[in-house]
Amino acid sequence: IGTAHWTSNDGSTDDFGFSAFAGGNRESDGDFTEIRREGFWWSSNEASAASSRSFWMNWYSFYAKVVNYGKKNGQSIRCIKD
């Protein structure tokens, strides 16, 4: 945790042991954006034929959101053991 992987730390913690790294995303045109500012992680839930549900965090909010994101874009993955 800290500014090595995020633009700003602002007192954030890793209370749940997730160690989220702000890997940004790959846009459908191939450009990489938001590295060290936002983190996106695919879920296994499809929102539509063109999009899937994703988990999203950024450096300026104190919460995570579930968002729909186009399947032509690229995001990080996180393997979670049941």
Side-chain angles (χ1 to χ4, degrees):
I1 304 302
T3 56
H5 304 290
W6 289 89
T7 298
S8 174
N9 184 341
D10 287 339
S12 357
T13 64
D14 187 19
D15 292 344
F16 298 98
F18 184 72
S19 300
F21 296 133
N25 66 313
R26 185 187 54 80
E27 299 291 340
S28 59
D29 63 4
D31 287 344
F32 288 88
T33 63
E34 305 305 335
I35 296 170
R36 293 187 63 231
R37 290 189 291 268
E38 296 185 2
F40 298 84
W41 295 269
W42 291 116
S43 80
S44 59
N45 298 329
E46 187 175 58
S48 71
S51 66
S52 286
R53 300 225 187 268
S54 300
F55 298 97
W56 170 80
M57 295 179 184
N58 64 43
W59 67 273
Y60 53 86
S61 298
F62 292 100
Y63 57 87
K65 287 174 51 172
V66 176
V67 296
N68 295 341
Y69 216 73
K71 293 179 182 179
K72 291 184 179 182
N73 297 41
Q75 300 177 23
S76 299
I77 60 168
R78 185 72 181 239
C79 297
I80 300 174
K81 182 179 179 180
D82 279 337

